[in-house]
Amino acid sequence: MSRALRRLRHAPAALALALAAVLTVPITATGSAKAASFDVLVFSKTAGFRHDSIPAGIEALRGLGQEQGFTVTATEDATAFSPDNLSGYEAVVFLSTTGDVLDSAQQDALQTYVDSGGGYVGVHAAADTEYDWPYYGQLVGAWFKSHPAIQQATVVNEDRTHPATSHLRATWTRTDEWYNYRTNPRSDVHVLQSLDESTYRGGEMAGDHPITWCHAQGQGRSFYTGLGHTAESYADPDFRTLLLGAVRYAAGQAPGDCAPDAGGGTAEGSQNVHLFYYPWYGNPAVNGSWRHWPQGGHTPPDDVGTDFYPALGPYDSGDMEGAVAQHMKWVKESGTGVIVYSWWGRDGYEDRLAKGVLDAAADEGIKVAWHLEPYAGRTAASTVSDIQYINDTYGSHPAFYRSAEHGDRPAFYVFESLRITDWAALDEVTDSSIVLAQTTDTTKIAHFSGMYTYDGIAGATAPGWKQAGDYARAHDLIWAPSVAPGYIDDRAVPGNTTPTLDRADGAAYDKQWNNALDPAVGGSPAWVSVTSFNEWHEGSSIEPADSSPPAGHGYLTFEGAYGKTGEAAETAYLDRTAYWVNRFARR
């Protein structure tokens, strides 16, 4: 295509061909002859399925150009992809292209253009394009795999600072055709929007479903959105604003943070997501006898008092170089940076192991907060003494958690705090330590620094969460609701009538996290606590469970969680926690 033809913005095709040799004045979206602030090439060639929304998309982009002062050339002529022609554009939009649309020379031209500083925007079926060209797979971020029927779903706006998404609320309910992709691009791109797969049928991305993203490509910029199947999308003001932000970012006219998400967690681990950690297990190889694993009348090693069987087998919490070191690696993998250490009193089993666990945590950059358990004879005064003892004994350790956002104070969660009615003694320590009550009843938290819930079932309905969160925020207290992947203790407590909460292949965990992060339900928490890393008796663990447990005992597995099977399912809840940690960090 000649440069003169490229400058024909919106003339009918026949007229464009007739005037191509002589017309040299750029025509704007309004048809007037004036210079544009930047130039955009919209390419909509299809060699496969053709979307009937393409004309609406072209007109939307033309309209945005007219309103915002950039010019748009729409073409399906692949000869537009030459070095000379592309040099006149700040961005190229692939609007629902499909199949093989460029020859090798044209591919080289596009690659050189982007890597040298140009911009690319892919819309919807742009992911269904150029499957045999590896560079294009990197450019678009992920290739199309499949889609269910057009339906309504909830879009989660993970990053609301990018120019394409800054106008949106935390979630966006809309109707579209929702693509599944062959790979999850998250580790290589910056995800701006994802789909909540619990809100529609046919999602196949194991619960982590990016739908809009951006990334640097060489010296250039790439942006992709899976939205835009329907013609109605292009009349939606919110979607048009998304397109405008995408074009302006790709054209280098608006800055955007597009650094990769690195798997959805944070490199250093979140200091605001805390995992309840239990160091009370023992086996004959380390402890000299079984501890906790026989609960419910079971006979380890194959028969243990849990409904899931640990991937590490019935380990010993004193195996610092083996089980505990692996635990800290898994905690790090989950994206969290803090464990809440179950502590049953000074000189007890857990207290004697604390130094070793702190050492192992430090090796992985994990911090340790404290879960003060209801040992026999506990009082408010003894709790104060316990806090002073822990601070004095472990406070200088590099893994000892202190909240930088709350005066560098350590954190203590008090389990079953309602057993004691008068906590006035806490006033002696709360200036220097954070002490949380286990309740949402704000009439029962005098002298405490805030609240948490722990309950692995209540998070499904979040009773009292918003009221607790609102109260905490109004009174400068900490609100740390607890979320859990499920709850079942049938093997640990045979014959019990305690309610259970099925994991539902991950849907239960997602529901609780969604509740915690929805301000209208969860009350905008300062921290989120997770029940639990390894409370195996209650079936609430995110620690990997054996995908092939000993036969004959009726063990459950994580099979099917977030679409994962076999050994890959063992870490499904660690991986999903990393996803939610990232979501929490981007509120």
Side-chain angles (χ1 to χ4, degrees):
M1 177 183 290
S2 70
R3 180 171 297 277
L5 181 55
R6 182 184 70 74
R7 291 296 186 178
L8 255 179
R9 301 299 177 190
H10 309 300
L15 179 60
L17 290 172
L19 297 180
V22 296
L23 185 58
T24 59
V25 179
I27 305 300
T28 68
T30 62
S32 62
K34 72 175 184 179
S37 59
F38 63 95
D39 300 287
V40 177
L41 176 66
V42 178
F43 185 54
S44 56
K45 180 179 178 180
T46 55
F49 181 83
R50 185 167 183 84
H51 285 74
D52 59 14
S53 60
I54 288 174
I58 293 171
E59 287 309 308
L61 288 163
R62 285 175 170 164
L64 291 170
Q66 178 179 346
E67 296 163 8
Q68 300 296 324
F70 61 89
T71 57
V72 171
T73 297
T75 186
E76 299 198 358
D77 185 348
T79 63
F81 289 84
S82 68
D84 179 59
N85 193 57
L86 290 176
S87 68
Y89 295 101
E90 280 69 36
V92 174
V93 179
F94 274 46
L95 179 61
S96 284
T97 52
T98 55
D100 267 344
V101 291
L102 302 178
D103 65 24
S104 60
Q106 293 156 1
Q107 291 174 351
D108 290 344
L110 177 60
Q111 180 170 345
T112 299
Y113 165 77
V114 176
D115 286 354
S116 298
Y120 164 90
V121 175
V123 178
H124 194 58
D128 189 23
T129 302
E130 295 289 344
Y131 289 99
D132 296 326
W133 182 23
Y135 174 84
Y136 187 81
Q138 299 171 18
L139 181 63
V140 72
W143 273 307
F144 164 79
K145 175 186 176 185
S146 63
H147 65 77
I150 296 171
Q151 60 193 291
Q152 187 178 88
T154 298
V155 177
V156 178
N157 298 306
E158 296 191 21
D159 182 347
R160 296 162 64 199
T161 64
H162 192 279
T165 52
S166 60
H167 63 293
L168 296 170
R169 295 185 177 183
T171 60
W172 183 19
T173 300
R174 66 187 314 276
T175 298
D176 215 317
E177 180 181 74
W178 306 112
Y179 276 9
N180 298 305
Y181 300 94
R182 296 186 180 187
T183 57
N184 188 323
R186 186 179 290 277
S187 61
D188 298 315
V189 303
H190 179 69
V191 176
L192 300 173
Q193 297 178 307
S194 57
L195 295 178
D196 181 348
E197 289 191 336
S198 68
T199 64
Y200 74 105
R201 298 178 63 85
E204 298 177 357
M205 299 289 290
D208 182 11
H209 196 139
I211 197 67
T212 301
W213 56 79
C214 59
H215 68 281
Q217 183 71 38
Q219 297 178 39
R221 296 156 302 282
S222 173
F223 184 102
Y224 171 81
T225 181
L227 282 59
H229 171 83
T230 66
E232 292 79 8
S233 293
Y234 297 93
D236 177 357
D238 282 336
F239 183 61
R240 288 169 66 95
T241 302
L242 184 150
L243 285 179
L244 175 62
V247 169
R248 293 186 69 238
Y249 159 75
Q253 304 297 308
D257 175 12
C258 289
D261 291 344
T266 56
E268 70 281 3
S270 172
Q271 299 295 290
N272 295 325
V273 180
H274 301 177
L275 298 179
F276 291 112
Y277 181 84
Y278 292 87
W280 56 24
Y281 302 104
N283 63 36
V286 180
N287 181 61
S289 62
W290 293 107
R291 195 172 193 280
H292 264 268
W293 298 116
Q295 185 168 323
H298 297 278
T299 54
D302 286 356
D303 178 24
V304 296
T306 68
D307 285 87
F308 298 90
Y309 193 82
L312 295 179
Y315 54 79
D316 194 297
S317 295
D319 180 11
M320 299 300 168
E321 295 184 359
V324 178
Q326 181 59 65
H327 284 170
M328 297 308 140
K329 293 181 187 301
W330 279 333
V331 170
K332 184 176 182 179
E333 183 179 335
S334 77
T336 59
V338 181
I339 61 169
V340 185
Y341 187 85
S342 177
W343 189 85
W344 286 83
R346 70 185 68 186
D347 300 322
Y349 184 79
E350 296 81 12
D351 189 38
R352 293 193 296 273
L353 297 180
K355 172 60 165 58
V357 174
L358 283 158
D359 290 345
D363 288 342
E364 299 296 334
I366 306 302
K367 302 298 184 181
V368 180
W370 304 84
H371 205 184
L372 304 184
E373 304 282 9
Y375 56 79
R378 185 181 73 175
T379 65
S382 74
T383 300
V384 169
S385 179
D386 293 337
I387 291 171
Q388 293 169 334
Y389 165 79
I390 290 171
N391 282 330
D392 291 344
T393 305
Y394 305 113
S396 62
H397 196 283
F400 192 81
Y401 174 71
R402 298 181 187 277
S403 174
E405 297 176 357
H406 300 92
D408 286 326
R409 291 181 293 164
F412 299 86
Y413 292 71
V414 180
F415 190 66
E416 295 188 347
S417 58
L418 297 184
R419 287 190 183 188
I420 297 170
T421 57
D422 182 2
W423 284 99
L426 287 179
D427 292 347
E428 187 176 346
V429 293
T430 48
D431 282 345
S432 58
S433 298
I434 297 165
V435 187
L436 302 185
Q438 187 208 353
T439 185
T440 56
D441 186 344
T442 56
T443 70
K444 303 292 178 63
I445 63 170
H447 312 289
F448 282 91
S449 313
M451 299 163 280
Y452 76 110
T453 56
Y454 188 80
D455 190 329
I457 296 177
T461 53
W465 281 21
K466 185 178 189 308
Q467 179 266 343
D470 291 349
Y471 183 91
R473 189 166 56 257
H475 293 82
D476 197 25
L477 300 173
I478 292 172
W479 167 232
S482 306
V483 299
Y487 183 96
I488 183 169
D489 62 0
D490 291 351
R491 285 178 56 81
V493 190
N496 82 87
T497 57
T498 303
T500 62
L501 179 65
D502 186 76
R503 293 189 178 223
D505 294 335
Y509 197 36
D510 284 357
K511 175 65 173 176
Q512 297 202 20
W513 267 105
N514 272 313
N515 284 342
L517 302 193
D518 183 347
V521 178
S524 300
W527 301 339
V528 174
S529 50
V530 178
T531 306
S532 63
F533 178 77
N534 65 335
E535 218 298 12
W536 286 99
H537 303 308
E538 296 179 350
S540 64
S541 301
I542 67 168
E543 180 185 352
D546 197 335
S547 57
S548 301
H553 302 283
Y555 291 117
L556 304 174
T557 69
F558 295 167
E559 182 76 11
Y562 303 107
K564 297 185 178 182
T565 60
E567 291 186 3
E570 293 182 354
T571 60
Y573 290 96
L574 294 179
D575 298 340
R576 192 58 171 172
T577 301
Y579 164 77
W580 283 110
V581 167
N582 185 60
R583 284 274 302 275
F584 186 38
R586 295 187 178 281
R587 289 178 305 165

